[in-house]
mmCIF file of all heavy atoms in Angstrom:
data_model
loop_
_atom_site.group_PDB
_atom_site.id
_atom_site.type_symbol
_atom_site.label_atom_id
_atom_site.label_comp_id
_atom_site.label_asym_id
_atom_site.label_seq_id
_atom_site.Cartn_x
_atom_site.Cartn_y
_atom_site.Cartn_z
ATOM 1 N N LEU M 1 -19.609 -21.413 12.202
ATOM 2 C CA LEU M 1 -18.723 -20.337 12.644
ATOM 3 C C LEU M 1 -17.750 -19.951 11.539
ATOM 4 O O LEU M 1 -17.500 -18.757 11.320
ATOM 5 C CB LEU M 1 -17.953 -20.777 13.892
ATOM 6 C CG LEU M 1 -16.971 -19.752 14.466
ATOM 7 C CD1 LEU M 1 -17.715 -18.513 14.941
ATOM 8 C CD2 LEU M 1 -16.173 -20.362 15.615
ATOM 9 N N GLY M 2 -17.194 -20.935 10.840
ATOM 10 C CA GLY M 2 -16.274 -20.632 9.745
ATOM 11 C C GLY M 2 -16.945 -19.838 8.640
ATOM 12 O O GLY M 2 -16.387 -18.862 8.136
ATOM 13 N N ALA M 3 -18.158 -20.243 8.281
ATOM 14 C CA ALA M 3 -18.891 -19.539 7.228
ATOM 15 C C ALA M 3 -19.263 -18.125 7.670
ATOM 16 O O ALA M 3 -19.049 -17.147 6.934
ATOM 17 C CB ALA M 3 -20.140 -20.322 6.860
ATOM 18 N N GLY M 4 -19.816 -18.003 8.887
ATOM 19 C CA GLY M 4 -20.260 -16.698 9.362
ATOM 20 C C GLY M 4 -19.118 -15.731 9.592
ATOM 21 O O GLY M 4 -19.196 -14.556 9.218
ATOM 22 N N LEU M 5 -18.034 -16.213 10.204
ATOM 23 C CA LEU M 5 -16.909 -15.333 10.514
ATOM 24 C C LEU M 5 -16.174 -14.906 9.252
ATOM 25 O O LEU M 5 -15.761 -13.745 9.133
ATOM 26 C CB LEU M 5 -15.950 -16.036 11.472
ATOM 27 C CG LEU M 5 -14.814 -15.180 12.053
ATOM 28 C CD1 LEU M 5 -15.379 -13.970 12.794
ATOM 29 C CD2 LEU M 5 -13.935 -16.011 12.984
ATOM 30 N N TRP M 6 -16.015 -15.827 8.314
ATOM 31 C CA TRP M 6 -15.328 -15.463 7.073
ATOM 32 C C TRP M 6 -16.137 -14.462 6.270
ATOM 33 O O TRP M 6 -15.588 -13.551 5.657
ATOM 34 C CB TRP M 6 -15.039 -16.709 6.247
ATOM 35 C CG TRP M 6 -14.216 -16.415 5.028
ATOM 36 C CD1 TRP M 6 -14.593 -16.506 3.728
ATOM 37 C CD2 TRP M 6 -12.850 -15.961 5.013
ATOM 38 N NE1 TRP M 6 -13.579 -16.137 2.892
ATOM 39 C CE2 TRP M 6 -12.478 -15.807 3.659
ATOM 40 C CE3 TRP M 6 -11.913 -15.685 6.013
ATOM 41 C CZ2 TRP M 6 -11.201 -15.370 3.277
ATOM 42 C CZ3 TRP M 6 -10.652 -15.249 5.630
ATOM 43 C CH2 TRP M 6 -10.315 -15.104 4.279
ATOM 44 N N PHE M 7 -17.473 -14.617 6.289
ATOM 45 C CA PHE M 7 -18.307 -13.638 5.597
ATOM 46 C C PHE M 7 -18.237 -12.279 6.292
ATOM 47 O O PHE M 7 -18.230 -11.236 5.634
ATOM 48 C CB PHE M 7 -19.760 -14.122 5.539
ATOM 49 C CG PHE M 7 -20.641 -13.246 4.688
ATOM 50 C CD1 PHE M 7 -20.646 -13.383 3.314
ATOM 51 C CD2 PHE M 7 -21.454 -12.284 5.266
ATOM 52 C CE1 PHE M 7 -21.444 -12.560 2.527
ATOM 53 C CE2 PHE M 7 -22.250 -11.464 4.493
ATOM 54 C CZ PHE M 7 -22.248 -11.607 3.112
ATOM 55 N N TYR M 8 -18.187 -12.295 7.615
ATOM 56 C CA TYR M 8 -18.068 -11.047 8.383
ATOM 57 C C TYR M 8 -16.774 -10.319 8.020
ATOM 58 O O TYR M 8 -16.772 -9.103 7.786
ATOM 59 C CB TYR M 8 -18.105 -11.366 9.873
ATOM 60 C CG TYR M 8 -17.896 -10.179 10.781
ATOM 61 C CD1 TYR M 8 -18.919 -9.274 11.022
ATOM 62 C CD2 TYR M 8 -16.665 -9.964 11.403
ATOM 63 C CE1 TYR M 8 -18.728 -8.184 11.862
ATOM 64 C CE2 TYR M 8 -16.466 -8.889 12.239
ATOM 65 C CZ TYR M 8 -17.494 -7.999 12.466
ATOM 66 O OH TYR M 8 -17.297 -6.918 13.292
ATOM 67 N N ILE M 9 -15.670 -11.053 7.959
ATOM 68 C CA ILE M 9 -14.385 -10.449 7.605
ATOM 69 C C ILE M 9 -14.423 -9.903 6.178
ATOM 70 O O ILE M 9 -13.970 -8.783 5.909
ATOM 71 C CB ILE M 9 -13.249 -11.481 7.772
ATOM 72 C CG1 ILE M 9 -13.079 -11.847 9.243
ATOM 73 C CG2 ILE M 9 -11.934 -10.940 7.210
ATOM 74 C CD1 ILE M 9 -12.119 -12.997 9.490
ATOM 75 N N SER M 10 -14.983 -10.684 5.255
ATOM 76 C CA SER M 10 -15.050 -10.262 3.856
ATOM 77 C C SER M 10 -15.903 -9.015 3.695
ATOM 78 O O SER M 10 -15.551 -8.104 2.931
ATOM 79 C CB SER M 10 -15.615 -11.404 2.998
ATOM 80 O OG SER M 10 -14.810 -12.560 3.090
ATOM 81 N N TRP M 11 -17.010 -8.963 4.423
ATOM 82 C CA TRP M 11 -17.897 -7.795 4.347
ATOM 83 C C TRP M 11 -17.176 -6.544 4.848
ATOM 84 O O TRP M 11 -17.260 -5.484 4.221
ATOM 85 C CB TRP M 11 -19.157 -8.039 5.155
ATOM 86 C CG TRP M 11 -20.022 -6.819 5.317
ATOM 87 C CD1 TRP M 11 -20.178 -6.060 6.439
ATOM 88 C CD2 TRP M 11 -20.835 -6.207 4.310
ATOM 89 N NE1 TRP M 11 -21.030 -5.014 6.192
ATOM 90 C CE2 TRP M 11 -21.450 -5.076 4.896
ATOM 91 C CE3 TRP M 11 -21.091 -6.503 2.980
ATOM 92 C CZ2 TRP M 11 -22.314 -4.248 4.180
ATOM 93 C CZ3 TRP M 11 -21.957 -5.685 2.271
ATOM 94 C CH2 TRP M 11 -22.552 -4.569 2.870
ATOM 95 N N ASN M 12 -16.472 -6.665 5.935
ATOM 96 C CA ASN M 12 -15.786 -5.497 6.484
ATOM 97 C C ASN M 12 -14.620 -5.061 5.600
ATOM 98 O O ASN M 12 -14.349 -3.854 5.483
ATOM 99 C CB ASN M 12 -15.300 -5.799 7.905
ATOM 100 C CG ASN M 12 -16.405 -5.653 8.934
ATOM 101 O OD1 ASN M 12 -16.661 -4.562 9.447
ATOM 102 N ND2 ASN M 12 -17.087 -6.744 9.241
ATOM 103 N N ILE M 13 -13.945 -5.988 4.973
ATOM 104 C CA ILE M 13 -12.877 -5.617 4.035
ATOM 105 C C ILE M 13 -13.461 -4.892 2.829
ATOM 106 O O ILE M 13 -12.924 -3.877 2.369
ATOM 107 C CB ILE M 13 -12.093 -6.870 3.590
ATOM 108 C CG1 ILE M 13 -11.289 -7.442 4.760
ATOM 109 C CG2 ILE M 13 -11.163 -6.539 2.422
ATOM 110 C CD1 ILE M 13 -10.585 -8.742 4.437
ATOM 111 N N ALA M 14 -14.577 -5.408 2.306
ATOM 112 C CA ALA M 14 -15.219 -4.783 1.146
ATOM 113 C C ALA M 14 -15.721 -3.386 1.469
ATOM 114 O O ALA M 14 -15.543 -2.447 0.681
ATOM 115 C CB ALA M 14 -16.373 -5.658 0.656
ATOM 116 N N THR M 15 -16.349 -3.217 2.633
ATOM 117 C CA THR M 15 -16.846 -1.884 2.995
ATOM 118 C C THR M 15 -15.693 -0.928 3.300
ATOM 119 O O THR M 15 -15.790 0.273 3.014
ATOM 120 C CB THR M 15 -17.777 -1.968 4.213
ATOM 121 O OG1 THR M 15 -17.121 -2.631 5.295
ATOM 122 C CG2 THR M 15 -19.049 -2.722 3.865
ATOM 123 N N LEU M 16 -14.598 -1.447 3.867
ATOM 124 C CA LEU M 16 -13.423 -0.604 4.102
ATOM 125 C C LEU M 16 -12.858 -0.098 2.783
ATOM 126 O O LEU M 16 -12.484 1.079 2.663
ATOM 127 C CB LEU M 16 -12.363 -1.387 4.875
ATOM 128 C CG LEU M 16 -11.087 -0.616 5.242
ATOM 129 C CD1 LEU M 16 -11.419 0.542 6.183
ATOM 130 C CD2 LEU M 16 -10.073 -1.545 5.889
ATOM 131 N N ALA M 17 -12.823 -0.983 1.779
ATOM 132 C CA ALA M 17 -12.376 -0.555 0.456
ATOM 133 C C ALA M 17 -13.317 0.497 -0.114
ATOM 134 O O ALA M 17 -12.874 1.471 -0.747
ATOM 135 C CB ALA M 17 -12.294 -1.755 -0.484
ATOM 136 N N GLY M 18 -14.627 0.307 0.108
ATOM 137 C CA GLY M 18 -15.595 1.287 -0.362
ATOM 138 C C GLY M 18 -15.474 2.620 0.345
ATOM 139 O O GLY M 18 -15.707 3.671 -0.262
ATOM 140 N N ILE M 19 -15.106 2.587 1.620
ATOM 141 C CA ILE M 19 -14.920 3.832 2.373
ATOM 142 C C ILE M 19 -13.813 4.681 1.755
ATOM 143 O O ILE M 19 -13.973 5.882 1.534
ATOM 144 C CB ILE M 19 -14.599 3.513 3.847
ATOM 145 C CG1 ILE M 19 -15.857 2.969 4.542
ATOM 146 C CG2 ILE M 19 -14.073 4.745 4.577
ATOM 147 C CD1 ILE M 19 -15.602 2.386 5.909
ATOM 148 N N PHE M 20 -12.695 4.047 1.439
ATOM 149 C CA PHE M 20 -11.591 4.791 0.846
ATOM 150 C C PHE M 20 -11.843 5.100 -0.626
ATOM 151 O O PHE M 20 -11.433 6.147 -1.119
ATOM 152 C CB PHE M 20 -10.285 4.012 1.020
ATOM 153 C CG PHE M 20 -9.790 4.006 2.433
ATOM 154 C CD1 PHE M 20 -9.985 2.901 3.239
ATOM 155 C CD2 PHE M 20 -9.156 5.120 2.969
ATOM 156 C CE1 PHE M 20 -9.543 2.897 4.561
ATOM 157 C CE2 PHE M 20 -8.720 5.134 4.285
ATOM 158 C CZ PHE M 20 -8.905 4.019 5.083
ATOM 159 N N ALA M 21 -12.542 4.205 -1.324
ATOM 160 C CA ALA M 21 -12.888 4.478 -2.718
ATOM 161 C C ALA M 21 -13.856 5.652 -2.816
ATOM 162 O O ALA M 21 -13.783 6.465 -3.735
ATOM 163 C CB ALA M 21 -13.496 3.237 -3.362
ATOM 164 N N GLY M 22 -14.767 5.737 -1.820
ATOM 165 C CA GLY M 22 -15.713 6.838 -1.814
ATOM 166 C C GLY M 22 -15.069 8.184 -1.609
ATOM 167 O O GLY M 22 -15.628 9.222 -1.994
ATOM 168 N N LYS M 23 -13.892 8.194 -1.015
ATOM 169 C CA LYS M 23 -13.192 9.458 -0.777
ATOM 170 C C LYS M 23 -12.452 9.934 -2.030
ATOM 171 O O LYS M 23 -12.190 11.117 -2.186
ATOM 172 C CB LYS M 23 -12.182 9.291 0.367
ATOM 173 C CG LYS M 23 -12.834 9.056 1.721
ATOM 174 C CD LYS M 23 -11.817 8.713 2.774
ATOM 175 C CE LYS M 23 -10.907 9.897 3.093
ATOM 176 N NZ LYS M 23 -11.628 10.962 3.809
ATOM 177 N N PHE M 24 -12.132 8.987 -2.921
ATOM 178 C CA PHE M 24 -11.306 9.347 -4.075
ATOM 179 C C PHE M 24 -11.993 9.138 -5.418
ATOM 180 O O PHE M 24 -11.563 9.711 -6.416
ATOM 181 C CB PHE M 24 -10.007 8.529 -4.048
ATOM 182 C CG PHE M 24 -9.188 8.736 -2.812
ATOM 183 C CD1 PHE M 24 -9.118 7.754 -1.832
ATOM 184 C CD2 PHE M 24 -8.508 9.925 -2.593
ATOM 185 C CE1 PHE M 24 -8.369 7.940 -0.678
ATOM 186 C CE2 PHE M 24 -7.762 10.124 -1.447
ATOM 187 C CZ PHE M 24 -7.690 9.137 -0.493
ATOM 188 N N ILE M 25 -13.045 8.296 -5.455
ATOM 189 C CA ILE M 25 -13.752 8.048 -6.711
ATOM 190 C C ILE M 25 -15.136 8.671 -6.619
ATOM 191 O O ILE M 25 -15.994 8.175 -5.882
ATOM 192 C CB ILE M 25 -13.879 6.533 -6.993
ATOM 193 C CG1 ILE M 25 -12.498 5.884 -7.013
ATOM 194 C CG2 ILE M 25 -14.600 6.307 -8.320
ATOM 195 C CD1 ILE M 25 -12.548 4.391 -7.213
ATOM 196 N N PRO M 26 -15.400 9.746 -7.331
ATOM 197 C CA PRO M 26 -16.713 10.390 -7.250
ATOM 198 C C PRO M 26 -17.786 9.567 -7.964
ATOM 199 O O PRO M 26 -17.505 8.828 -8.906
ATOM 200 C CB PRO M 26 -16.483 11.730 -7.973
ATOM 201 C CG PRO M 26 -15.358 11.452 -8.930
ATOM 202 C CD PRO M 26 -14.483 10.450 -8.243
ATOM 203 N N ASN M 27 -19.016 9.714 -7.483
ATOM 204 C CA ASN M 27 -20.177 9.074 -8.109
ATOM 205 C C ASN M 27 -20.000 7.557 -8.249
ATOM 206 O O ASN M 27 -20.298 6.968 -9.288
ATOM 207 C CB ASN M 27 -20.453 9.692 -9.489
ATOM 208 C CG ASN M 27 -20.723 11.179 -9.412
ATOM 209 O OD1 ASN M 27 -21.391 11.660 -8.499
ATOM 210 N ND2 ASN M 27 -20.192 11.922 -10.373
ATOM 211 N N LEU M 28 -19.524 6.938 -7.174
ATOM 212 C CA LEU M 28 -19.341 5.488 -7.208
ATOM 213 C C LEU M 28 -20.677 4.770 -7.361
ATOM 214 O O LEU M 28 -20.735 3.672 -7.924
ATOM 215 C CB LEU M 28 -18.638 5.032 -5.924
ATOM 216 C CG LEU M 28 -18.145 3.586 -5.866
ATOM 217 C CD1 LEU M 28 -17.102 3.334 -6.934
ATOM 218 C CD2 LEU M 28 -17.575 3.260 -4.490
ATOM 219 N N ASP M 29 -21.742 5.399 -6.880
ATOM 220 C CA ASP M 29 -23.066 4.783 -6.975
ATOM 221 C C ASP M 29 -23.604 4.739 -8.398
ATOM 222 O O ASP M 29 -24.581 4.045 -8.674
ATOM 223 C CB ASP M 29 -24.058 5.514 -6.064
ATOM 224 C CG ASP M 29 -24.155 6.995 -6.393
ATOM 225 O OD1 ASP M 29 -23.154 7.570 -6.848
ATOM 226 O OD2 ASP M 29 -25.244 7.568 -6.190
ATOM 227 N N SER M 30 -22.974 5.484 -9.316
ATOM 228 C CA SER M 30 -23.439 5.513 -10.701
ATOM 229 C C SER M 30 -22.886 4.358 -11.526
ATOM 230 O O SER M 30 -23.207 4.225 -12.704
ATOM 231 C CB SER M 30 -23.041 6.840 -11.361
ATOM 232 O OG SER M 30 -21.626 6.956 -11.436
ATOM 233 N N LEU M 31 -22.061 3.512 -10.921
ATOM 234 C CA LEU M 31 -21.436 2.407 -11.647
ATOM 235 C C LEU M 31 -22.312 1.164 -11.697
ATOM 236 O O LEU M 31 -21.908 0.138 -12.239
ATOM 237 C CB LEU M 31 -20.080 2.057 -11.005
ATOM 238 C CG LEU M 31 -19.047 3.183 -10.970
ATOM 239 C CD1 LEU M 31 -17.765 2.701 -10.302
ATOM 240 C CD2 LEU M 31 -18.747 3.691 -12.389
ATOM 241 N N GLY M 32 -23.494 1.237 -11.094
ATOM 242 C CA GLY M 32 -24.408 0.098 -11.127
ATOM 243 C C GLY M 32 -24.071 -0.998 -10.128
ATOM 244 O O GLY M 32 -24.500 -2.143 -10.287
ATOM 245 N N LEU M 33 -23.307 -0.642 -9.083
ATOM 246 C CA LEU M 33 -22.925 -1.648 -8.098
ATOM 247 C C LEU M 33 -24.116 -2.141 -7.286
ATOM 248 O O LEU M 33 -24.045 -3.219 -6.693
ATOM 249 C CB LEU M 33 -21.860 -1.075 -7.150
ATOM 250 C CG LEU M 33 -20.529 -0.673 -7.791
ATOM 251 C CD1 LEU M 33 -19.595 -0.097 -6.732
ATOM 252 C CD2 LEU M 33 -19.879 -1.851 -8.495
#
């Protein structure tokens, strides 16, 4: 549970950052992520 829940939280934080980065940083997919 600790491993799964912490990964779930980390994934959602990372995607939330990507959501806002996608609004302000154009062509984010071109960075090789």
Side-chain angles (χ1 to χ4, degrees):
L1 180 63
L5 188 58
W6 186 247
F7 187 81
Y8 176 78
I9 294 172
S10 301
W11 171 254
N12 279 274
I13 292 175
T15 54
L16 182 63
I19 289 169
F20 288 101
K23 292 172 68 70
F24 301 107
I25 303 177
N27 301 321
L28 190 62
D29 57 329
S30 64
L31 300 180
L33 297 179

